[in-house]
Amino acid sequence: MDCSVKSLRIVHSTTPPDDSDVIPTTAPAASSSSYDESTVAVPRLVSGESPCAKCISNCAKVAAAVAKGDLSIRINCEKEACNRSALTTSINEMVSKLSNFTEEVIQVAAQSAEGKLGVQAKLEDEHGSWREVISRLNTMTVGYSEQVRDIASVCTAVARGDLSQKMTVSVKGETLVLKNTFNTM
């Protein structure tokens, strides 16, 4: 399998970047930039090291695999400098976090489907959207657990002939309709 990059064209600025931070790459086509059109600025991935074409190609392959839902592959290049690069490290870390996140969501869903109430997803040291999604998932599971437990308590009381018990959990939507029905029995 050919792992080379067939074309690379990156144009973000009309001013030439600092030569110490870029490697020149022959441009596949003319660009509209104001600097030398025969080269394109590609940030260095490791100080003093240039990324190899295979590493960049592997980054694209991993990104494509993630887009298709395959979280099992990581970038690994023969050049150790590429493996320590910001690009490779960031992509591999992103895929690992996404994989861990997915495993937690699957675990919560599976245990909830088995009837286990109050199951919580656990992700260490997460920030931003990762933390928000896990927080909302955990809030949802706690909310449903409280609702199911309250329904079970009222049903048990009714089964024993005690019609004085009422659902007290705070609910909205369809569960509110269920609560109101139970409470009018």
Side-chain angles (χ1 to χ4, degrees), residues 100-144:
N100 292 340
F101 172 81
T102 302
E103 288 173 16
E104 282 296 312
V105 171
I106 289 169
Q107 174 259 334
V108 168
Q111 289 188 21
S112 296
E114 293 171 1
K116 295 178 183 173
L117 300 178
V119 178
Q120 298 283 291
K122 297 169 188 74
L123 284 180
E124 304 292 324
D125 240 6
E126 298 305 333
H127 305 283
S129 295
W130 299 111
R131 175 176 277 167
E132 180 71 19
V133 171
I134 290 298
S135 175
R136 288 181 182 249
L137 176 65
N138 288 339
T139 300
M140 180 184 72
T141 62
V142 166
Y144 282 136

Side-chain angles (χ1 to χ4, degrees), residues 8 12 29 37 40 57 63 72 127 133 135 152 154 174 184:
L8 177 62
H12 293 287
E37 293 184 349
V40 175
S57 179
S72 66
H127 305 283
V133 171
S135 175
V154 173
E174 294 177 42
T184 58

